[in-house]
Amino acid sequence: MTEITEHLREIVERVARATRLAERTTNVRIVAVSKQKTRDDVAEAFRAGQRDFGESYVQEAVPKIDALRDLDIDWHFIGALQTNKTRLVAEKFRWVHTVDRAKIAARLNEQRPHFAEPLNVLIQVNQARETQKSGAAVEDVRALAREIAALPRLKLRGLMTIPPAAADPTPYFRELASLHAQLRREGFELDTLSMGMSADFERAIAAGSNCVRIGTAIFGPRV
Ligand SMILES: *Cc1c(COP(=O)(O)O)cnc(C)c1O
């Protein structure tokens, strides 16, 4: 068994265990983050059963996506979104985790090809208001959700966060889960809560995550 296949099995097992411990019945989606990894690495994880893959840089992702178009991969865009890159994201991906303003949402809606299903969208929330990080402020999420929900070529699926690096992530995970639940009570049809990476995905699942984004623990360190 190759290293990627082996790592992937371990991760699938750890995610399943964390899901059981959290006493949840629905599956947790694993997005294998393949940034800085080769198309062969992606193909290998695909052969091991992995279907969702995440990329952070449009320029790097597009040739990989094109080269692997014969594999039925669900590509997730998880990087910072600049307005001049929205067209490629709208054309090449099925999911975007990082929508944080109305202007980006409007462009994605306009540029999503009509033969494709609506683009699945998550709102990235910048809970600690870190200046170097993208994401909507907590108090702006509701208004942005309303705008996205009105766009026909987008399907608002939920929220995403990356907690501050040095902090205990659990309070952030819990705050986002509670905002997600609140929006659902208000009528938004959200089903996805994207939180947790290699170092903290078990804590994220314990707090309510049902979508984890895992790079290093599957593909090894990035150089
Ligand atoms: C790189 C990245 C990940 C994966 O991080 P690992 O620590 O390697 O698991 C997850 N989410 C986002 C947004 C990333 O940019």
Side-chain angles (χ1 to χ4, degrees):
M1 209 190 310
T2 68
E3 212 163 276
I4 290 173
T5 303
E6 202 171 309
H7 288 166
L8 197 50
R9 287 195 184 176
E10 279 166 30
I11 292 298
V12 167
E13 228 167 78
R14 284 172 61 189
V15 165
R17 195 181 316 130
T19 307
R20 275 198 307 277
L21 281 172
E23 298 184 342
R24 292 229 301 283
T25 47
T26 53
N27 280 341
V28 172
R29 185 192 299 266
I30 299 172
V31 177
V33 177
S34 50
K35 63 184 177 207
Q36 292 181 40
K37 299 296 169 182
T38 66
R39 52 191 75 162
D40 289 344
D41 292 338
V42 173
E44 187 180 329
F46 182 88
R47 282 194 297 275
Q50 180 62 32
R51 290 297 174 269
D52 292 273
F53 290 86
E55 288 282 339
S56 300
Y57 309 101
V58 176
Q59 233 66 299
E60 178 198 342
V62 167
K64 234 184 265 185
I65 293 172
D66 287 345
L68 296 168
R69 65 181 167 274
D70 290 343
L71 309 184
D72 188 23
I73 289 176
D74 281 335
W75 287 104
H76 297 242
F77 186 73
I78 62 169
L81 245 178
Q82 291 144 354
T83 43
N84 62 343
K85 298 284 166 52
T86 53
R87 179 175 299 280
L88 282 168
V89 170
E91 289 175 358
K92 300 286 182 179
F93 288 81
R94 288 187 190 153
W95 289 79
V96 181
H97 291 225
T98 46
V99 173
D100 63 359
R101 51 200 192 275
K103 185 183 171 192
I104 291 280
R107 289 177 66 94
L108 290 170
N109 179 66
E110 237 167 69
Q111 294 166 341
R112 181 65 170 171
H114 280 269
F115 56 81
E117 294 162 20
L119 184 63
N120 296 298
V121 163
L122 306 178
I123 296 174
Q124 180 178 0
V125 187
N126 185 347
Q127 296 171 275
R129 297 174 163 281
E130 292 169 279
T131 48
Q132 79 280 13
K133 221 174 249 175
S134 354
V138 170
E139 65 271 23
D140 297 334
V141 169
R142 185 168 285 101
L144 181 56
R146 245 182 248 121
E147 303 213 40
I148 295 172
L151 298 172
R153 305 298 300 139
L154 305 186
K155 184 162 176 42
L156 181 64
R157 300 288 296 265
L159 306 178
M160 177 273 214
T161 191
I162 311 167
D168 171 5
T170 292
Y172 293 97
F173 292 152
R174 288 196 180 137
E175 181 191 52
L176 202 73
S178 122
L179 179 58
H180 191 263
Q182 177 63 37
L183 292 171
R184 280 170 53 97
R185 282 194 293 277
E186 293 169 19
F188 291 101
E189 288 172 26
L190 310 183
D191 63 3
T192 304
L193 191 48
S194 170
M195 4 184 247
M197 320 202 308
S198 292
D200 58 15
F201 69 88
E202 280 141 327
R203 282 173 284 177
I205 292 169
S209 169
N210 65 3
C211 180
V212 294
R213 310 174 309 268
I214 302 182
T216 311
I218 293 172
F219 294 109
R222 293 178 292 271
V223 285

